[in-house]
Amino acid sequence: MMNSSRFRQISVWLISLLYTTGLCAQSVTLQTKYASVTIDGKGFITSVRNKKNGREYCPKGLTSALMSLCAGKQYLLPQQAVYNPQQHEMRLRYPNGSEALLRIDQRPEYLKLKLLSLTNREKVDNIVWGPYKTTISTLIGDVIGVVRNKEFAFGMLGLDDNTTSGPPSEGDLSFMYYFIHSPDPVKYPLPAHLKEGQTFSIGGDGVNDVAFYSQPEEYFRMIYGNGAKLEPAYGATICMHSRNRRKEQMIRFPDYPEGLDGKANSARYQLVTPVEADFIGSSVALYVCPDSLGLSTIEKIVLAEGLPHPTIDGKWIKDPAAYRPDIAWYGPHDSLAAYAGRLQIKGIQDEGWGEYYPNPANPWKNKRISFSGKADMHIPDFGAQMQQQGIRYGLHTLCEFLQPGDNSDVSPVPSDSLTIMQRTTITKDIMPEDTVITVADTAYFNEFGGWEGNHTNVLKIGKELIEYDGITRTPPYTFLKVKRGFHGTARGSYKAGATIVKLQPNCYRGFAPDMHLQDVYADYYGKWLTAGGMDYIDFDGLESCMYQGHGQYSFKRFFRGLFDSYHRNGGKYLRVMGSAVQEGSWHYMSVCNVGGGDHMFSPVKNKWGIEGKDMRYVFESSYFPATFGIQGYQADWSLYDAENLEAKSIGWNATYMLGLNQQTVEASGEKEAIFNAIRLWEEARAANKFSNALKEKLKDLDYKFHLEKAGANAYLLYPIRENRFSEQRCSTTGTRISLQNTFAEQPLDFSIKITGPKGAAIQGLTVRLSDNTVLTIDKMISAGQHIIYRKGKLFTADNGRKPLEALPAKGTLKLPKGRSDVVVAALHPVQDDKVRFELVVPVTGTPVKF
């Protein structure tokens, strides 16, 4: 037996050896260019410090596990950390006996963490990076996992496809809900009945996507992801995880807050089938940097680590200098290329086809490109023509929605790789004529439809689809209201013990591919795009990458396969639009121009819609371009309305799709000026001429702006303030309106639009100015038509502002500085009480040259 003195000598010698070799359970401080991160001897982050000013971003008294293990819903936190600086490795030991070996590389802009090995890993389902606690919380970038304030950004990027945002969850996703968070408590103070971090369900019925967005106040924030989370007690957290996907899971999905069971998108149970993806090799980049350098820091990580880095015109698609509007085209295609060329907008989403559903057996579906003046064209021929003209042309697709009657993997012979929800076996033989089907257990076959809220209940056995509605609750478990040979599939004979599954439905009563068939569709789309001469695609229905139950990993796998196939088949830059932005699609998507019209932003009224406000916050918080959605070109737009769309999109680093059709554009009286202006704004945007200070000015909702060229590389930016008075009554007694001109005296410019029921009209009116000058319009003006005074000329105009008739004017009239009144009166009694008018008087300030 060793005596105690000898034991103490050996212990001291071992401890000394550990210290001299650096292999000891003690704190270690890791460095980047901008911050230091300290990890204690137990494997917890205890400090995240700004190297420039010494500010601490780790909440006082709180620590964060560098890496946790997750078994079921139980988290295992590290108990000991031993760091070897020579090997850049750290060993973390856990209470279940597991030992993780991490590699830690200190890069100039970030720390790279990678799991090399894990012992006793059989019962571990996930490894979790974090959640990492921080005091930063002004902007919660929940999509990619970053939190930001005006000073610093604290974020994390997954460096492999199976390392995805957020903590482990059912389906590895988070779904939309509102939370209370004021980004500026002084500017947006919370009312007494609300508190930071409080959650609310989305609006509407869960079906109408416009009604999702129901809370207009700035402190109502929409959640799109779970990569970052507000923690009112101290700030926020960021988190990523990696799952052992070789294990089959039964999940209850989706995971909504506030218990939304009973609504359209209630949770359902789903059996998630395994794929070959594991957490060994999981890696993240942890960055702490000035917020102004956040996006450039991410780009450096992306390039250094070989992450997807699509570029457009030589610029990374996430760089605001690369942001561009697109066109949503409607109707015959005669003027599409001409308009695109004049506007210098190269991305075209063709809405003429409607929603395209993939079908490998008939990829072009015998549909053609229509023209009003010549024969139709085959889509690949038209796509090739667009490519020759430098136009990125593409279609509005429903991603992986596999629809009965329109997809060869559903009918008449269904694929064995359709996503399932439940699985069991039949207990008795069944013949083609049988409608009584008994099974070994009910599983969750009693739940109707899928989690997107329709009653599509479809079984698959062999190569047959079967519709049913419910299952008995007691043995023998028997499906109810069975309809054999559903969707034109062939009835078959099956022996007891045969497997029968319930398919996962999509929201349009079709189905979805499993992960293996999804790989096939990723390749299909890459070939389809290049064969069709298309460099643009809109993936509506991107939730089809959620149906498999593998969360962000499914998105990453689909998009990687798509881009690999697209490039392999000769494609170069693929412009991707989609119905939502996920952490799994963030690297690949150029834009997300969803929604549209006044729900997003009104360029006429200069006002954000609720949907636009919510998406703006979500996107800009995660370094993604905000959007105004589809903004349909209006024939009655003024030049300043159209310029405002450009000004605000540039100010907010936003994009949009300009909805065009030939009939509306040609009805526009100010088409030439508007086209020239959009082209000029886009020229200046592409040249990166707008400084951050100018962009802040452009955001101001009190102003519109007018842009002019001032030389080869210079521009003049004029502030425009509109006096806009809508829904004014027309009467012979007149309506007195007070105007404000905060700028210098200037030539008068105004328009009056008559509104009311179809066929309504007024029999002339007068406009009396403050100096008692009277303009008389002794003409019938129908609802929708205008009276316009501009540059000393007075004329009537149609509902597209096209001049109809010149009227006598009294020289160049002036609008004085300050307050002045105008009285608008009908010449004759108005017969229809619903007739109203809108007066718009713009005033122009001194330009800024840049």
Side-chain angles (χ1 to χ4, degrees):
M1 182 181 219
M2 186 181 295
N3 63 46
S4 59
S5 176
R6 178 65 174 159
F7 178 78
R8 282 196 299 270
Q9 287 176 345
I10 294 175
S11 298
V12 169
W13 177 80
L14 285 171
I15 292 172
S16 176
L17 178 64
L18 287 173
Y19 272 97
T20 56
T21 58
L23 303 178
C24 52
Q26 60 177 339
S27 292
V28 57
T29 297
L30 306 170
Q31 306 281 348
T32 71
K33 186 187 300 182
Y34 309 111
S36 63
V37 177
T38 300
I39 304 168
D40 70 10
K42 292 184 177 181
F44 286 77
I45 295 175
T46 58
S47 175
V48 179
R49 193 174 294 276
N50 183 333
K51 291 173 71 172
K52 184 176 181 179
N53 59 20
R55 184 167 289 119
E56 178 62 66
Y57 298 116
C58 188
K60 187 176 182 180
L62 297 178
T63 59
S64 305
L66 183 64
M67 192 188 82
S68 306
L69 307 182
C70 185
K73 294 186 177 180
Q74 181 185 7
Y75 275 71
L76 301 173
L77 304 180
Q79 294 179 319
Q80 185 184 47
V82 177
Y83 182 60
N84 183 331
Q86 285 76 34
Q87 297 297 319
H88 309 288
E89 291 178 351
M90 178 175 286
R91 293 188 181 274
L92 298 177
R93 297 188 175 93
Y94 296 86
N96 68 339
S98 289
E99 182 174 286
L101 179 62
L102 310 184
R103 176 166 178 102
I104 303 177
D105 291 309
Q106 302 175 69
R107 308 292 196 210
E109 280 82 19
Y110 61 101
L111 300 178
K112 180 180 179 180
L113 313 175
K114 184 174 183 178
L115 175 63
L116 300 179
S117 64
L118 179 69
T119 62
N120 296 333
R121 57 189 299 273
E122 295 76 17
K123 294 183 179 179
V124 175
D125 299 312
N126 297 271
I127 62 103
V128 185
W129 301 103
Y132 300 143
K133 304 177 182 71
T134 178
T135 57
I136 300 171
S137 64
T138 303
L139 296 178
I140 308 295
D142 56 273
V143 173
I144 63 169
V146 60
V147 289
R148 306 162 54 191
N149 59 22
K150 292 181 180 179
E151 182 179 83
F152 251 53
F154 180 52
M156 192 165 24
L157 281 185
L159 303 182
D160 61 284
D161 286 354
N162 194 32
T163 300
T164 64
S165 61
S169 64
E170 303 281 318
D172 285 342
L173 285 166
S174 173
F175 278 74
M176 294 161 51
Y177 61 91
Y178 277 114
F179 71 105
I180 301 298
H181 174 51
S182 177
D184 186 337
V186 175
K187 191 175 181 180
Y188 307 112
L190 297 185
H193 67 284
L194 296 176
K195 62 180 181 179
E196 280 276 319
Q198 195 172 347
T199 61
F200 294 86
S201 64
I202 58 175
D205 56 8
V207 175
N208 181 346
D209 56 0
V210 170
F212 291 170
Y213 307 94
S214 56
Q215 303 290 349
E217 296 86 358
E218 284 287 334
Y219 45 74
F220 272 92
R221 298 302 201 182
M222 182 71 79
I223 276 287
Y224 260 50
N226 58 1
K229 183 182 178 184
L230 177 71
E231 296 289 352
Y234 54 83
T237 57
I238 59 172
C239 187
M240 300 197 86
H241 77 282
S242 185
R243 181 181 294 276
N244 178 2
R245 300 188 182 277
R246 297 189 179 103
K247 296 183 178 182
E248 194 164 270
Q249 309 171 62
M250 178 67 78
I251 64 173
R252 190 168 183 269
F253 183 79
D255 182 18
Y256 275 99
E258 302 296 316
L260 298 186
D261 284 351
K263 287 194 175 183
N265 287 13
S266 300
R268 301 285 188 275
Y269 284 94
Q270 178 182 353
L271 187 67
V272 179
T273 54
V275 293
E276 284 298 312
D278 190 18
F279 47 62
I280 301 299
S282 172
S283 184
V284 298
L286 181 66
Y287 59 94
V288 192
C289 65
D291 187 40
S292 61
L293 300 177
L295 194 59
S296 63
T297 297
I298 291 174
E299 185 175 20
K300 289 175 182 177
I301 296 170
V302 165
L303 291 171
E305 301 297 337
L307 296 176
H309 185 260
T311 59
I312 176 174
D313 301 328
K315 296 183 177 68
W316 185 37
I317 59 172
K318 297 298 181 289
D319 184 341
Y323 295 172
R324 302 284 185 273
D326 294 324
I327 290 172
W329 185 263
Y330 302 86
H333 297 71
D334 303 69
S335 299
L336 185 155
Y339 288 172
R342 288 199 56 196
L343 293 165
Q344 282 296 287
I345 299 178
K346 297 180 180 179
I348 309 288
Q349 176 171 309
D350 193 341
E351 293 291 330
W353 248 37
E355 297 174 334
Y356 167 86
Y357 295 86
N359 186 356
N362 187 12
W364 303 113
K365 303 186 181 183
N366 304 316
K367 294 187 177 182
R368 300 178 69 82
I369 301 297
S370 64
F371 299 90
S372 56
K374 60 181 180 180
D376 294 349
M377 287 183 71
H378 189 38
I379 288 176
D381 293 336
F382 185 73
Q385 189 179 94
M386 292 299 97
Q387 279 186 331
Q388 290 171 3
Q389 298 182 55
I391 293 174
R392 302 177 183 101
Y393 171 80
L395 303 182
H396 176 165
T397 74
L398 261 294
C399 200
E400 300 176 334
F401 279 37
L402 312 185
Q403 302 306 106
D406 193 23
N407 184 277
S408 53
D409 286 311
V410 174
S411 60
V413 181
S415 168
D416 293 332
S417 286
L418 298 174
T419 293
I420 70 171
M421 295 194 76
Q422 303 298 328
R423 182 200 302 122
T424 188
T425 56
I426 60 174
T427 56
K428 295 180 180 179
D429 295 355
I430 55 176
M431 302 299 290
E433 65 275 10
D434 290 337
T435 57
V436 177
I437 302 174
T438 60
V439 291
D441 57 83
T442 62
Y444 295 99
F445 287 100
N446 57 303
E447 293 182 339
F448 71 82
W451 54 265
E452 282 209 292
N454 60 60
H455 285 71
T456 303
N457 296 309
V458 177
L459 306 168
K460 179 180 176 295
I461 183 169
K463 293 295 184 180
E464 180 184 356
L465 301 182
I466 301 170
E467 187 181 41
Y468 79 102
D469 191 4
I471 191 170
T472 59
R473 302 289 182 134
T474 56
Y477 301 117
T478 307
F479 290 114
L480 304 174
K481 300 181 180 179
V482 166
K483 295 180 182 178
R484 298 286 302 275
F486 196 46
H487 292 314
T489 56
R491 297 185 179 201
S493 299
Y494 311 99
K495 294 292 185 180
T499 297
I500 189 168
V501 298
K502 177 183 177 181
L503 297 180
Q504 165 75 274
N506 64 46
C507 64
Y508 292 159
R509 297 181 177 270
F511 306 100
D514 70 7
M515 294 292 283
H516 303 292
L517 186 56
Q518 178 177 273
D519 292 344
V520 175
Y521 275 91
D523 181 59
Y524 164 82
Y525 270 119
K527 293 175 179 176
W528 179 79
L529 284 161
T530 52
M534 295 185 288
D535 306 302
Y536 177 107
I537 192 165
D538 172 21
F539 284 124
D540 199 351
L542 257 182
E543 67 269 24
S544 53
C545 290
M546 302 178 186
Y547 291 128
Q548 300 80 8
H550 284 283
Q552 303 296 347
Y553 172 69
S554 181
F555 284 92
K556 292 183 179 183
R557 183 160 160 168
F558 172 75
F559 276 100
R560 183 176 293 277
L562 165 68
F563 271 65
D564 286 349
S565 174
Y566 175 76
H567 292 135
R568 191 167 56 246
N569 286 282
K572 295 180 181 178
Y573 165 64
L574 177 60
R575 188 166 181 81
V576 177
M577 218 289 280
S579 57
V581 180
Q582 302 284 342
E583 185 257 333
S585 61
W586 184 89
H587 289 286
Y588 299 94
M589 289 180 62
S590 296
V591 291
C592 186
N593 294 319
V594 295
D598 290 356
H599 297 297
M600 299 297 294
F601 179 77
S602 170
V604 176
K605 297 178 181 178
N606 216 1
K607 182 180 179 182
W608 282 96
I610 302 174
E611 185 178 8
K613 181 267 293 186
D614 288 341
M615 285 192 175
R616 182 193 74 213
Y617 172 77
V618 168
F619 291 176
E620 71 174 358
S621 297
S622 287
Y623 298 117
F624 194 87
T627 181
F628 295 153
I630 298 179
Q631 293 287 329
Y633 187 108
Q634 303 299 309
D636 64 350
W637 270 357
S638 72
L639 171 63
Y640 296 151
D641 295 336
E643 286 196 274
N644 192 45
L645 181 59
E646 280 289 307
K648 292 301 182 289
S649 70
I650 291 170
W652 285 98
N653 285 328
T655 59
Y656 65 91
M657 278 197 289
L658 185 62
L660 295 182
N661 70 79
Q662 188 169 318
Q663 182 178 2
T664 300
V665 172
E666 294 307 318
S668 169
E670 300 194 24
K671 167 197 163 185
E672 294 301 319
I674 288 172
F675 272 43
N676 290 336
I678 290 176
R679 180 170 181 156
L680 185 63
W681 281 91
E682 286 304 314
E683 173 192 292
R685 190 207 302 242
N688 204 20
K689 295 294 294 183
F690 295 97
S691 65
N692 289 335
L694 269 182
K695 288 181 178 180
E696 285 300 315
K697 288 181 181 291
L698 295 177
K699 288 181 182 180
D700 194 333
L701 296 178
D702 288 333
Y703 294 91
K704 295 182 179 180
F705 295 88
H706 172 63
L707 190 67
E708 291 182 0
K709 198 74 180 281
N713 195 34
Y715 301 85
L716 293 174
L717 183 68
Y718 292 83
I720 307 293
R721 193 148 194 173
E722 284 187 339
N723 294 271
R724 182 178 292 271
F725 304 91
S726 302
E727 292 295 310
Q728 302 296 305
R729 298 182 68 86
C730 284
S731 69
T732 54
T733 57
T735 301
R736 181 176 294 275
I737 297 171
S738 291
L739 307 177
Q740 289 290 338
N741 176 13
T742 56
F743 306 124
E745 181 185 71
Q746 58 193 270
L748 176 65
D749 182 348
F750 74 79
S751 67
I752 296 174
K753 180 179 180 180
I754 305 302
T755 62
K758 185 178 181 179
I762 62 168
Q763 301 298 320
L765 54 73
T766 62
V767 180
R768 182 182 297 275
L769 305 178
S770 57
D771 63 358
N772 287 324
T773 298
V774 177
L775 298 175
T776 301
I777 299 93
D778 192 5
K779 299 288 180 181
M780 185 182 78
I781 310 297
S782 300
Q785 293 182 339
H786 298 76
I787 300 160
I788 297 175
Y789 180 85
R790 182 186 302 146
K791 296 181 178 179
K793 295 181 180 180
L794 180 66
F795 56 93
T796 59
D798 66 10
N799 56 7
R801 303 175 71 91
K802 282 188 174 182
L804 294 173
E805 184 177 355
L807 301 171
K810 299 186 177 181
T812 301
L813 301 174
K814 298 288 187 180
L815 183 67
K817 178 179 174 63
R819 181 182 178 277
S820 61
D821 291 342
V822 60
V823 178
V824 180
L827 274 178
H828 305 285
V830 179
Q831 302 302 314
D832 193 328
D833 189 53
K834 294 181 180 179
V835 171
R836 298 288 188 273
F837 72 88
E838 178 183 64
L839 172 67
V840 180
V841 182
V843 291
T844 304
T846 303
V848 173
K849 187 173 183 179
F850 65 100

